[in-house]
């Protein structure tokens, strides 16, 4: 058994990559002010979103390359693969890109989490509230490893918890929404 870990800082500011991986020059965050609050100009915010989505395309191609390599080496079926973002990003004129409020909470708090379990043949959509701290207990559960101490998270293979609230943390403290 082996563990391979990749910390890929994509998609992330600066948004400078096309889906091909080619880099482009120019303003990488049009419409974004120094304090990471978007200008009131919807066009500038949409342009920022488009540049972000171009980089999402590049990120998708990198993940596709990883999946192809796993298939090519015959290890895809036995692989536990976790893909997760570190935070979300809001694209709302006049609002912070990273600090949530009532209008941007869903964009910032709902980050992608994809898990492919060993032997999994079909995808499943799990709509329960999951936190990033649930990833480590899930990995430990899948590989049969004990955790050295209590952890905040819960394995996603355990019965669903009653969690309904989501909390995000930012420079101004935390925001919780049900």
């Amino acid at each position: 058994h082996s563990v391979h870990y990749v910390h890929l800082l994509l998609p992330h500011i600066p948004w400078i990559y096309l889906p091909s991986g080619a880099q482009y020059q120019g303003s990488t965050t049009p419409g974004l002010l120094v304090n990471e609050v978007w200008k009131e100009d919807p066009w500038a915010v949409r342009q920022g979103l488009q540049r972000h989505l171009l980089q999402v395309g590049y990120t998708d191609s990198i993940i596709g390359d990883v999946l192809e390599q796993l298939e090519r080496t015959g290890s895809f079926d036995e692989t536990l693969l976790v893909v997760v973002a570190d935070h979300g990003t809001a694209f709302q004129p006049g609002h912070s890109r990273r600090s949530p409020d009532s209008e941007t909470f869903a964009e910032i708090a709902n980050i992608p989490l994809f898990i492919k379990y060993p032997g999994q043949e079909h995808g499943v959509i799990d709509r329960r509230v999951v936190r990033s701290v649930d990833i480590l207990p899930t990995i430990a559960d899948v590989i049969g490893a004990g955790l050295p101490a209590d952890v905040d998270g819960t394995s996603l293979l355990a019965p669903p918890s009653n969690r309904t609230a989501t909390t995000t943390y930012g420079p101004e403290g935390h925001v919780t929404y049900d």
Side-chain angles (χ1 to χ4, degrees), residues 105 109-111 113 115 125-135 138 152-168 175-178:
F105 181 79
N110 291 319
I111 62 170
L113 170 61
I115 299 177
I125 296 173
D126 187 338
R127 299 225 181 259
R128 65 185 143 163
V129 175
V130 175
R131 303 171 300 171
S132 57
V133 295
D134 297 331
I135 296 170
T138 302
D152 290 335
T154 304
S155 171
L156 298 177
L157 297 177
S161 69
N162 296 343
R163 231 184 266 154
T164 59
T166 302
T167 302
T168 63
V175 180
T176 302
Y177 291 93
D178 288 322

Side-chain angles (χ1 to χ4, degrees), residues 6-108:
V6 176
H7 183 203
L8 184 63
L9 290 174
L10 294 172
H12 211 283
I13 285 179
W15 298 313
I16 58 172
Y17 293 101
L18 297 170
S20 66
Q23 292 187 29
Y24 59 88
Q25 300 297 317
S27 174
T28 59
T29 53
L32 193 59
L33 301 173
V34 175
N35 59 0
E36 294 206 344
V37 171
W38 290 105
K39 292 179 182 177
E40 291 288 344
D41 179 5
W43 180 88
V45 177
R46 282 195 305 271
Q47 188 177 34
L49 173 60
Q50 292 303 312
R51 289 176 186 231
H52 170 76
L53 293 174
L54 288 170
Q55 198 152 288
V56 168
Y58 178 47
T59 306
D60 185 56
S61 70
I62 293 171
I63 293 169
D65 291 345
V66 169
L67 294 174
E68 285 178 16
Q69 179 68 15
L70 291 170
E71 287 281 0
R72 197 170 30 258
T73 60
S75 57
F76 179 80
D77 290 339
E78 64 194 36
T79 295
L80 168 64
L81 179 68
V82 179
V83 178
V84 64
D86 61 344
H87 61 80
T89 300
F91 294 92
Q92 300 294 327
H95 292 271
S96 174
R97 180 180 81 83
R98 296 270 312 271
S99 295
D101 60 35
S102 61
E103 291 185 45
T104 61
F105 181 79
E107 287 179 271
I108 294 172

